[in-house]
Amino acid sequence: MADLNTLPPLRDVADRHGLRACRSLGQNFLFDENLLERIAGFGGDLTNAHVIEIGPGPGGLTRALLRAGAQRVTALEKDWRCVAALQELSQVSGGRLEIIEGDVLETDLPRLCTQPPVIAGNLPFNIATEVLIQLVESGMPIDRMLLMFQKEVGHRIAAQPGSRSYGRLSVLVQWLCTVETCLEVPAQAFVPAPKVSASVLCITPRQTPLYPAQIASLRAVTKAAFGQRRKTLRNSLGAAFDDPVKALEAVGIRPDLRAEKVDIEGFCALAREHAMHRPN
Ligand code: SAM
């Protein structure tokens, strides 16, 4: 009987289980086990970790996480066709792999764990941002996240003020988490190859948000400011404040700036101003 180190190639597993990639499920598989091992390595020491893997597919990253010594892996997969392939892996996992057939967007993740988990996944590009926002805004205790995104989305998450990629996603995620770009993965590494390449990010929730603010107000001011990012703040913030210039002056931000020049501290100050005048 095979063990974790003598498993058949992933491509053979996918073929044997008829796992032809399905576009509507965002399926672009990784079969290169050296690359998968590198990705798992960015998760750090997993020996005491409960990993929740979202979208394991035929199980490439799952194998790598188990080989990296993860104490426990819960693999959550929407495509029932992948479950049989994953069950084979479960049999050689020494009881460390549990498979759940389900949709991450409808699953109560906190119920799956008894300790803050490591969340890992090569997510389908079409739901990756939604999954990330749900995770970071849920307040669910999470140890760290090792997630793959379309490269351009990865840039937006990690972007700094002043860059073209800097926007709402950068502010909201970095307010709550530290973000590190670990690796870029070329499109040709996937089967089938998508049109764009990908980035692996390590995203670690902060103990407390970077600056005080209410999330609803931070959402409102960033939505207004970046919704019309080519306009100056005096013009774009009309959707969030009755008198944008007064609000900007109250927090010491020049009204002739554009949103991309305002750092997270500035947006949090604006959010506090918003909350004072428009309590939720
Ligand atoms: N991790 C595998 C790999 O690297 O080869 C597969 C990655 S593939 C980009 C995304 C996986 O997520 C697919 O297996 C797909 O079926 C699964 N998936 C898609 N939507 C999902 C959802 N809403 N909930 C859970 N899994 C989902």
Side-chain angles (χ1 to χ4, degrees):
M1 184 171 162
D3 63 34
L4 269 181
N5 296 312
T6 56
L7 289 165
L10 282 160
R11 210 179 270 273
D12 294 357
V13 173
D15 285 347
R16 191 155 40 79
H17 291 279
L19 293 178
R20 292 254 307 273
C22 164
R23 192 191 285 219
S24 66
L25 285 168
Q27 290 181 336
N28 301 95
F29 299 133
L30 287 173
F31 292 142
D32 177 340
E33 303 212 25
N34 292 324
L35 174 63
L36 288 158
E37 190 181 324
R38 275 188 77 197
I39 295 173
F42 288 110
D45 181 3
L46 297 175
T47 47
N48 292 315
H50 178 194
V51 183
I52 297 188
E53 188 194 352
I54 303 168
L61 184 58
T62 327
R63 281 183 185 195
L65 292 164
L66 289 165
R67 283 178 183 148
Q71 188 182 56
R72 182 177 165 207
V73 179
T74 301
L76 174 61
E77 172 57 60
K78 187 172 178 182
D79 184 354
W80 61 268
R81 300 176 310 155
C82 298
V83 171
L86 293 165
Q87 266 158 359
E88 286 180 7
L89 187 53
S90 179
Q91 280 164 18
V92 296
S93 72
R96 290 184 292 147
L97 174 62
E98 169 193 21
I99 303 146
I100 297 181
E101 189 186 330
D103 184 333
V104 64
L105 298 172
E106 291 168 11
T107 302
D108 183 4
L109 294 182
R111 276 197 49 206
L112 302 182
C113 27
T114 51
Q115 68 186 73
V118 173
I119 309 267
N122 167 13
L123 300 172
F125 289 161
N126 56 349
I127 60 164
T129 310
E130 187 179 351
V131 170
L132 176 65
I133 290 290
Q134 275 197 12
L135 287 170
V136 298
E137 290 190 356
S138 69
M140 162 187 177
I142 293 172
D143 188 280
R144 55 198 184 273
M145 295 176 263
L146 183 67
L147 298 174
M148 174 118 58
F149 298 90
Q150 187 175 330
K151 183 172 156 189
E152 178 258 327
V153 175
H155 282 170
R156 282 170 41 211
I157 294 167
Q160 295 301 306
S163 83
R164 278 178 52 196
S165 303
Y166 182 66
R168 259 192 113 196
L169 193 57
S170 333
V171 174
L172 291 170
V173 175
Q174 292 178 42
W175 177 55
L176 296 170
C177 307
T178 61
V179 176
E180 185 193 349
T181 304
C182 303
L183 181 72
E184 297 208 338
V185 181
Q188 310 85 273
F190 296 89
V191 179
K195 290 200 175 71
V196 288
S197 51
S199 300
V200 177
L201 267 58
C202 189
I203 301 175
T204 307
R206 300 178 189 278
Q207 294 281 332
T208 52
L210 202 46
Y211 305 100
Q214 288 182 14
I215 193 156
S217 287
L218 191 57
R219 278 202 208 107
V221 293
T222 51
K223 185 174 178 194
F226 287 106
Q228 304 190 69
R229 60 185 296 144
R230 297 176 70 85
K231 293 192 175 173
T232 59
L233 293 166
R234 75 164 72 233
N235 293 315
S236 62
L237 284 180
F241 294 99
D242 295 336
D243 188 342
V245 173
K246 197 169 155 202
L248 287 158
E249 284 174 349
V251 298
I253 296 176
R254 280 183 19 218
D256 62 335
L257 292 181
R258 294 197 169 88
E260 68 191 38
K261 295 286 186 206
V262 179
D263 59 14
I264 299 175
E265 188 174 9
F267 276 114
C268 288
L270 279 170
R272 291 194 297 275
E273 192 63 19
H274 179 271
M276 255 192 318
H277 296 288
R278 298 206 181 161
N280 299 304

